[in-house]
Amino acid sequence: MTSRLRHCARLGIILLGICSIAGGIYLFRNWIEMFTRIRGKEMALSPTSRSFEGWKVSPLPMNFDVYIFNWTNPEDFYVGSSKKPNFQQLGPYRFREQPDKVNIEWHNQNASVSFRKKSVFYFDAAGSTGSLTDVITQVNSVAHGAARRAADSWLGRVSVNMAIRMYDQRLAITRSADEWLFKGFEHPFISLGKLLRPEDVPYSRIGYQYPRNGSSEFDGDINMFTGADDISKMGQIYTWNNLTHTGAFPGACGQVRGSMGEFFPPNLSTNDTVYMYMPKMCRAVPLDYTETVTVHGITAYKYSGTQHAVDNGTLYPDTSCYCVGGKCLPVGVIDVGPCAFNASVYMSFPHFYNGDPSYLEAVEGLKPEREKHEFFMTLEPNAGVPMDVGGGFQANYYMEPVKGIDLYDKVPSVMLPMMWCEERVRVSEEIAADIALVPLIVLLGQIVTGILLAGGLICTCWYPTRQVTHFCQGDPKAKASVLRPLTTFGVNTAPATGPVSQLFRHNTNAGGNERVGVRLLDYRRDSGLQQQQAGNRNNSENSPRERLISESSPDVIVR
């Protein structure tokens, strides 16, 4: 190979290395975004996309567990009583849920889809602890709600007192578990209310889950983004009942936002907060990162409901807009009255988990535990897909005295637990294997990036490194000739100090130039520079172990 070809080959290798480094840097900065765009084109929700069938009808078995608190001593509920309200948790009453999306309409102008959720629930006796015929005593929230509405007028107070006596109303009601849940039951005040003020009474029966079973109206009309124009928006709700702001809470607290639970933003980090929209609470619940876990061998981030999710401005200033009517209760409960016909209903985590201790101290029978009562979403961070979902919310009724109403004139102010429910879903190993492709492709991109960077550095530095290595291992005379130009420098005419002065001898020639003679000394590896005896120092110039460079030698000239 000729010299020109060798130079061209070397230049080509260096250029290849530079291109590899540039490509590696570009992939390092843009690989995840590139992959997200490619995946978005395939996964964006549409009638023909791979994700459509799994979104419309969940392929996973879904269990809906309900727990009801049985009030054991309502007769002791009065001001001055020595006994706290005592509650016994019954359940779970397990139901198999079969969800479906109905009334689907696609909106290409803003890449969104409108739908309603319809779920059918079947009681699972084998998976339940208890029967639907269990007799349960709970707070008479309907009678108390009527008393609160009528307290502002003399006529209203008289009417409610008469109705309470006429229909023999008590502080509590005893019904079967089935009636408290999906079946519901009639209440005389509901019938009277529909006759007098039908606009304020939307239901004909009372039940915690009535009329949810088989209904497409329970959660309202939902419009969410499909991700066709931006995969990061996929699954994020845009409107609820055609509203972008519910009006239930002011400012950002009433904004319609967050996920409906099926899809979350991709490329999540441990600093992110994800939001889940709760239609029956008219708000988005923030979930904060708590830990990194493994689900079927896949690394996932766990986002949980912390005190941030149930605060009313006590700990987090941004949650102060959840205070209703200027009444800000301690952290732990959410006033959903503006979303529930102004009823005195508050939501919390089960057993007042993450709540102020005052709620637990006011009642007996509750014991919060993180393992049982934490609300969480475990997400694969690259795809934003739920891997494991658990926990739920608890409905509570805030009992307080109502002046002028005999039944409620002397009751204490206490947050009474009613029931809580949870949906637990965990992906199967087959689905997890498909989800695992996303982090695998991300890892492969990072490996390719590393290979490009390493290969580029090798190609770029190979020839210069080779030349330096050959130079270091070459002939000392050749190295000296190469380095000789570097020895031309100004030398201070002042005598050197210390041992350095022994190495140089100064002479001035006829032309006035100062010449520096370098004394070559014998150097032994075992002892270093050999020192002559003090008595022979005057004869050192004639020693065979050192000689002064002659004036005619090409030594350094100092001008």
Side-chain angles (χ1 to χ4, degrees), residues 127-147:
S128 301
T129 302
S131 169
L132 292 180
T133 59
D134 292 345
V135 177
I136 301 174
T137 300
Q138 257 297 327
V139 60
N140 188 351
S141 59
V142 177
H144 185 261

Side-chain angles (χ1 to χ4, degrees), residues 209-222:
Q209 297 296 316
Y210 176 84
R212 183 178 184 182
N213 197 355
S215 171
S216 62
E217 308 293 327
F218 190 78
D219 286 326
D221 185 81
I222 300 167

